[in-house]
Amino acid sequence: MRIFGITLVLVVSACGGGEVIDSPAGDSDAIPLCEDVSTISAPDDRYADRPVYVGNEMPIDEVQTWAETQPGFETLWIDRDHNGWITLAFSENADQRQADVEELFADAGVVVVQVDWAMDDLSALQSSIPGRFEPGFVQTTGISVTQGVVTVGIGPFTAERIATATAELAGEPVCLEGIDPELVPEPGPQPEAGDDWRLLADEKTGQAYRTMIATNLADLEELWREAGITSPLPDVDLEDEIVIWFGAVYGSSCPNLRMDDVVIEDGLVYPEIVNVDAPMACTGDANPHAYVVAVERSAFPSEGFVVRLQAEEPPPGVVDQETTVLGDVTIPGSYVVGIREELPTDPGLPSVEDGGVIEPGYPWMYQLYAHCGVEWLGEVNGVQWRAERVDGSIDFVPEEWRAEIDGEQYLTVEILLTEGDPPVLEATAAGHTVRYLPATEDPPGCD
């Protein structure tokens, strides 16, 4: 899928702490948070209801080829808030270029905006920023062309870190990105023990997304081999303890994991694992990190439990594994087998939420809020979708769909988006399909 835009990112890990600070909006000397910087758009009267672009069917190449021959052209982007229209940014003669596109691309959705910056200047500024601070202070940089600024990721949003950034960058076209300091793990080494558990092994080895238990010596030896642990087998009192292997996973750009605790609640057993560096971004490669713990038998429920790597089931497409324990491990010395099962075996369809972007021509799962009917599906690819045909009732729901609505009034449908004039979004559940078209008015409220 190609959703056109320009983003340049430099990733450098760091972390920090201190007093939390709110958005600096209102302080004329402060650098704004990126979430507070408005996006660039043309005057409202330059947009129309048609055409509506839902994928990448707009004539980007043709428009860009022309724009690059004009003086002052800086860049272009797709404006999903305005029916997917193409926005051309010019640093000079924008009004003349607007007249040109209205003549040259009369049937296309294209607008021109005047900007007070040049891409070369933003690129040069972005490249200079990391070297203006102590190593590790700047964690990411990028260029947001839709806002006309360089984004600067400084990690935890504390008063000290914001003040440091402001002292160096005040007055420049930048904005700050970061994370809530409360989400940054406390610094410290790997705990050797916690309530009812102790750490036996901690190595970057084995297999990712795996779990296993051992309640006797033979199973412990097998667990040790499968987890790939290189240290000697430790002494474990299997009368009073069982052993669990958590095959955790990390991205190569953020390898510094730490297991802070073993949680046993509601029939689930899982580790609390944090990224010590709390980076702004991690690579998506999956590398194994084996944690092996001995846990007191008395800490477990007697009716059995499930071992996972996290409390929630894995998202679609992730091959995770859980171990189900059906016996009573609380009996001293009892031999109990854990049944290991991969979850899920079927990756399923990708899912999208209201306000998300999908690739046309491929099915996606979508949760539709049906409390006030399903005449309005919601926003997908920047477009509000309204049913092509309804029966006139304020709470329109096809009879075939009524039994599929859950207790919280959500209905899971499979959606398929097709480009065209107009584009069509089809939603299917229980073998029944409703066609949705782009709305030309805002949806009503729903109490």
Side-chain angles (χ1 to χ4, degrees):
M1 176 172 62
R2 183 186 71 162
I3 302 301
F4 192 86
I6 297 177
T7 303
L8 307 176
V9 177
L10 169 67
V11 178
V12 183
S13 292
C15 72
E19 178 188 357
V20 183
I21 191 167
D22 293 328
S23 168
D27 182 350
S28 59
D29 295 326
I31 299 174
L33 306 187
C34 295
E35 63 187 36
D36 295 332
V37 179
S38 59
T39 57
I40 301 168
S41 62
D44 290 343
D45 60 5
R46 292 186 178 177
Y47 300 97
D49 292 337
R50 304 280 291 275
V52 177
Y53 301 120
V54 295
N56 294 290
E57 70 273 32
M58 62 286 291
I60 293 176
D61 293 339
E62 180 183 356
V63 172
Q64 183 164 6
T65 298
W66 170 81
E68 288 175 344
T69 67
Q70 307 303 308
F73 173 65
E74 300 299 337
T75 189
L76 64 78
W77 62 84
I78 293 172
D79 188 344
R80 293 294 178 187
D81 292 330
H82 292 92
N83 291 337
W85 281 31
I86 301 171
T87 299
L88 299 174
F90 279 85
S91 54
E92 59 181 83
N93 297 325
D95 288 340
Q96 179 58 53
R97 299 292 81 82
Q98 176 65 33
D100 292 341
V101 299
E102 290 176 0
E103 178 181 351
L104 295 171
F105 307 106
D107 296 329
V110 186
V111 295
V112 174
V113 294
Q114 178 81 44
V115 297
D116 58 1
W117 45 264
M119 279 300 299
D120 287 346
D121 293 339
L122 292 182
S123 296
L125 175 60
Q126 184 210 9
S127 298
S128 73
I129 286 175
R132 295 161 64 175
F133 296 89
E134 291 294 323
F137 178 84
V138 175
Q139 298 187 359
T140 65
T141 65
I143 297 176
S144 174
V145 296
T146 62
Q147 298 168 297
V149 294
V150 173
T151 63
V152 183
I154 63 171
F157 268 150
T158 63
E160 295 87 348
R161 295 182 74 82
I162 290 179
T164 298
T166 300
E168 177 64 33
L169 300 175
E172 303 200 54
V174 300
C175 64
L176 299 182
E177 293 180 329
I179 57 177
D180 185 340
E182 293 184 359
L183 300 180
V184 179
E186 292 292 332
Q190 170 63 51
E192 295 298 318
D195 291 342
D196 300 315
W197 66 272
R198 59 191 180 93
L199 187 67
L200 301 179
D202 168 16
E203 297 185 20
K204 291 182 173 66
T205 186
Q207 303 175 63
Y209 301 115
R210 291 294 180 268
T211 57
M212 186 176 178
I213 73 161
T215 58
N216 65 13
L217 182 58
D219 284 355
L220 177 56
E221 291 173 342
E222 180 184 354
L223 179 153
W224 213 252
R225 288 192 298 271
E226 191 165 338
I229 305 301
T230 59
S231 61
L233 195 68
D235 291 331
V236 180
D237 182 3
L238 292 171
E239 283 289 311
D240 296 324
E241 297 175 314
I242 72 167
V243 176
I244 301 178
W245 164 36
F246 298 113
V249 60
Y250 66 92
S252 56
S253 66
C254 45
N256 296 322
L257 301 185
R258 187 180 70 212
M259 190 189 76
D260 285 347
D261 201 4
V262 176
V263 179
I264 303 175
E265 62 181 9
D266 299 327
L268 291 178
V269 179
Y270 58 92
E272 278 190 0
I273 296 176
V274 298
N275 181 353
V276 178
D277 292 335
M280 296 289 289
C282 290
T283 51
D285 54 327
N287 302 287
H289 191 139
Y291 292 99
V292 182
V293 295
V295 186
E296 295 288 338
R297 287 177 177 263
S298 59
F300 295 96
S302 60
E303 63 272 17
F305 52 90
V306 173
V307 179
R308 288 187 188 152
L309 290 176
Q310 65 284 310
E312 302 81 15
E313 291 188 6
V318 174
V319 181
D320 210 335
Q321 185 192 71
E322 68 179 16
T323 299
T324 302
V325 179
L326 300 177
D328 184 0
V329 301
T330 65
I331 301 173
S334 61
Y335 172 57
V336 178
V337 176
I339 303 171
R340 303 165 73 188
E341 179 184 11
E342 288 192 351
L343 294 176
T345 54
D346 179 4
L349 293 176
S351 61
V352 64
E353 297 180 350
D354 183 26
V357 176
I358 67 175
E359 185 170 4
Y362 296 91
W364 295 68
M365 301 308 296
Y366 179 83
Q367 273 199 326
L368 196 165
Y369 186 57
H371 177 66
C372 293
V374 298
E375 177 180 350
W376 294 84
L377 179 132
E379 180 184 321
V380 177
N381 286 36
V383 175
Q384 288 287 347
W385 297 91
R386 189 176 188 180
E388 183 178 34
R389 294 185 180 88
V390 297
D391 62 9
S393 61
I394 193 171
D395 58 350
F396 162 72
V397 177
E399 191 61 38
E400 295 89 342
W401 285 8
R402 292 187 180 276
E404 304 297 316
I405 300 174
D406 65 22
E408 297 182 349
Q409 298 299 299
Y410 280 96
L411 168 70
T412 300
V413 295
E414 179 181 307
I415 60 175
L416 180 67
L417 181 57
T418 303
E419 299 169 348
D421 187 18
V424 175
L425 189 149
E426 293 182 319
T428 302
H432 182 77
T433 299
V434 175
R435 284 167 51 94
Y436 289 83
L437 301 178
T440 57
E441 59 188 277
D442 293 332
C446 178
D447 296 328

